[in-house]
Amino acid sequence: MTPGPRNLITDVAGLAVGNAQDDNLKSGTTVLLSEDGPMTTSYAVMGGAPGTRDTDLLEPDKTVPGVDAIVLSGGSAFGLAAAQGVMDALAQQGRGFQVHSARVPIVPAAIIFDLLNNGQKGWAKNPYPALGLDALGNIAHDFALGTAGAGTGATDAQHKGGLGSASLVLPDGTTIGALVVVNALGSATTPSGKHFWAAPFEIGEEFGGLGPDPTANLQALLPSRKTAAMAQHGNTTIGVVATDARLDKAACKRLATAAHDGFARALVPAHTPYDGDLIFASSTARRGPPSDEVMPLLGHYAAVCMSRAIARAIWEATPSDDDALPTFRQALGQY
């Protein structure tokens, strides 16, 4: 398998990503924009504590055919307001679902809980609409990973979390990519603290080339640094998988469901009652429908991208003042 030239979700033609963050707030927002107009999108939730906006529209039996952008944000329920900043800006650009003379941009969103990470959360006015607007203003094909955008204040059980992305170009030319914010109750690293659960899926040295953990037999999980420093309930991993293959909403729903395998391969445990684990799945339809050979495996490729993106999020995280948890590379002695 070969990554795209950027090894980012933006290797899928027709997509761009923008980040905005506030380092004092220790939080931020990430926007995935469809450059071609509405893109077919569905979603799947497998965590017990999701925070979402407009996801009902994405069910295969619902009327709205596509979305203009997807927002991933910190801020718990406050962060859902980031989508309003994006929606307002897109409306000014004339984008949206047309109903007679009216246009309504469709901007679903999902959030992580990052309110207990030592950031300055005592705002008088919700900062997230402005962060959403800023993220949209930063739209580009290249974007930062790790401590950036919605991943700015994220954590997993042992380390600072972050924003991750990865892509694959399949033998027939189809491209698939993943974008993820890792803020899990579980850990992306094995109990030794020196290897990623996702190591078998690494391509090259995209998250350090550390290889699989050589320890034999099942190891007990370490006590959670996150639970000790913050709270057991402050979690959730959210992401997007996207492809340039033409898919309908039902196929996108199946793609999102299969991509959750990437969560389970890269985070232990995943899909807990205290995680709001959610994946959006989108089709830009720049190519035709997937072939009979590719279609059964598309979910597998999405899961591979997602597991790699999760490890990249942890690997790329950088330290900031007053962090609640160390970065993975700090723990390895590389900072």
Side-chain angles (χ1 to χ4, degrees), residues 90-169:
L90 291 177
Q92 291 177 4
Q93 297 173 20
R95 291 192 57 161
F97 181 64
Q98 189 159 7
V99 183
H100 298 289
S101 60
R103 280 190 174 273
V104 182
I106 306 300
V107 185
I111 47 85
I112 65 167
F113 186 101
D114 60 358
L115 300 181
L116 302 177
N117 61 5
N118 296 337
Q120 297 175 11
K121 303 301 196 296
W123 58 72
K125 180 181 178 181
N126 188 331
Y128 289 96
L131 283 168
L133 181 62
D134 289 347
L136 185 63
N138 293 330
I139 282 292
H141 294 134
D142 292 298
F143 58 94
L145 301 181
T147 307
T152 298
T155 52
D156 76 356
Q158 304 298 338
H159 304 105
K160 200 167 179 180
L163 182 71
S165 192
S167 69
L168 284 173
V169 180

Side-chain angles (χ1 to χ4, degrees), residues 40 243 245-252 255 282-283 285 288-290 295 298:
T40 305
T243 181
R246 184 179 299 277
L247 303 177
D248 61 16
K249 284 175 79 173
C252 285
L255 188 66
S282 297
S283 165
M295 187 63 195
L298 203 58

Side-chain angles (χ1 to χ4, degrees), residues 48-64:
T52 62
R53 167 176 165 151
D54 283 348
T55 49
D56 283 353
L57 296 171
L58 308 181
E59 293 290 354
D61 64 336
K62 299 303 186 287
T63 302
V64 171

Side-chain angles (χ1 to χ4, degrees), residues 18-306:
N19 287 328
Q21 59 273 335
D22 183 324
D23 292 334
N24 292 321
L25 188 67
K26 285 189 179 293
S27 187
T29 296
T30 297
V31 175
L32 177 75
L33 180 71
S34 171
E35 299 176 305
D36 297 337
M39 59 183 172
T40 305
T41 300
S42 192
Y43 77 111
V45 177
M46 291 193 178
T52 62
R53 167 176 165 151
D54 283 348
T55 49
D56 283 353
L57 296 171
L58 308 181
E59 293 290 354
D61 64 336
K62 299 303 186 287
T63 302
V64 171
V67 309
D68 296 285
I70 296 171
V71 171
L72 309 177
S73 185
S76 188
F78 299 103
L80 293 174
Q84 191 63 52
V86 176
M87 182 179 178
D88 291 346
L90 291 177
Q92 291 177 4
Q93 297 173 20
R95 291 192 57 161
F97 181 64
Q98 189 159 7
V99 183
H100 298 289
S101 60
R103 280 190 174 273
V104 182
I106 306 300
V107 185
I111 47 85
I112 65 167
F113 186 101
D114 60 358
L115 300 181
L116 302 177
N117 61 5
N118 296 337
Q120 297 175 11
K121 303 301 196 296
W123 58 72
K125 180 181 178 181
N126 188 331
Y128 289 96
L131 283 168
L133 181 62
D134 289 347
L136 185 63
N138 293 330
I139 282 292
H141 294 134
D142 292 298
F143 58 94
L145 301 181
T147 307
T152 298
T155 52
D156 76 356
Q158 304 298 338
H159 304 105
K160 200 167 179 180
L163 182 71
S165 192
S167 69
L168 284 173
V169 180
L170 310 187
D172 71 344
T174 300
T175 301
I176 192 162
L179 178 71
V180 67
V181 182
V182 182
N183 189 61
L185 175 72
S187 176
T189 53
T190 64
S192 73
K194 298 178 181 180
H195 301 271
F196 287 103
W197 289 112
F201 305 99
E202 185 173 18
I203 299 176
E205 297 185 357
E206 60 188 346
F207 40 91
L210 303 174
D213 196 322
T215 305
N217 300 318
L218 183 66
Q219 302 297 305
L221 298 179
L222 297 175
S224 170
R225 289 175 180 160
K226 182 176 188 174
T227 298
M230 290 178 275
Q232 188 178 35
H233 294 73
N235 310 294
T236 294
T237 298
I238 51 178
V240 185
V241 291
T243 181
D244 54 4
R246 184 179 299 277
L247 303 177
D248 61 16
K249 284 175 79 173
C252 285
K253 181 81 173 181
R254 174 50 44 195
L255 188 66
T257 301
H260 272 281
D261 289 353
F263 280 17
R265 293 168 180 169
L267 296 167
V268 179
H271 305 136
T272 77
Y274 303 137
D275 286 285
D277 293 347
L278 175 148
I279 297 176
F280 297 101
S282 297
S283 165
T284 65
R286 287 280 188 101
R287 296 171 58 86
S291 67
D292 291 343
E293 290 77 22
V294 169
M295 187 63 195
L297 296 175
L298 203 58
H300 164 64
Y301 297 133
V304 168
C305 281
M306 183 58 73

